[in-house]
Amino acid sequence: MAFQGMAGDLPDIGSAIAGVLQRVERQQQPLVIAVAERLAAARYRLWAGDATMTSHKAELEACAVREEEIASRIE
């Protein structure tokens, strides 16, 4: 993907969400994950609509669709 150079600057999402999930009852954890996936989809769509990201619009929209699909499977 075109964002490979940014990989070193990205946060460790697994560690970040693990801390949140530890505070949520086990039966509720899938819903928290689904919400996080939908928030990620919204972020991708926001970036896709940014005029400075026009050259990556299709990739970002595809990422949003994948995030929504993951959220739906989890739910």
Side-chain angles (χ1 to χ4, degrees):
M1 188 163 161
F3 304 110
Q4 290 175 351
M6 295 172 30
D9 299 333
L10 297 176
D12 181 352
I13 300 301
S15 294
I17 200 162
V20 172
L21 290 177
Q22 290 173 353
R23 292 183 240 139
V24 176
E25 291 182 35
R26 184 133 176 94
Q27 66 202 42
Q28 298 297 317
Q29 289 177 357
L31 292 177
V32 172
I33 294 168
V35 168
E37 295 292 342
R38 293 200 186 279
L39 289 171
R43 223 174 8 259
Y44 281 123
R45 287 193 177 95
L46 182 68
W47 293 334
D50 185 325
T52 64
M53 299 298 284
T54 312
S55 62
H56 300 292
K57 183 175 180 141
E59 292 168 299
L60 292 166
E61 288 176 346
C63 289
V65 168
R66 282 192 300 273
E67 296 290 354
E68 291 286 350
E69 289 170 354
I70 291 167
S72 293
R73 286 195 326 246
I74 293 169
E75 291 167 342

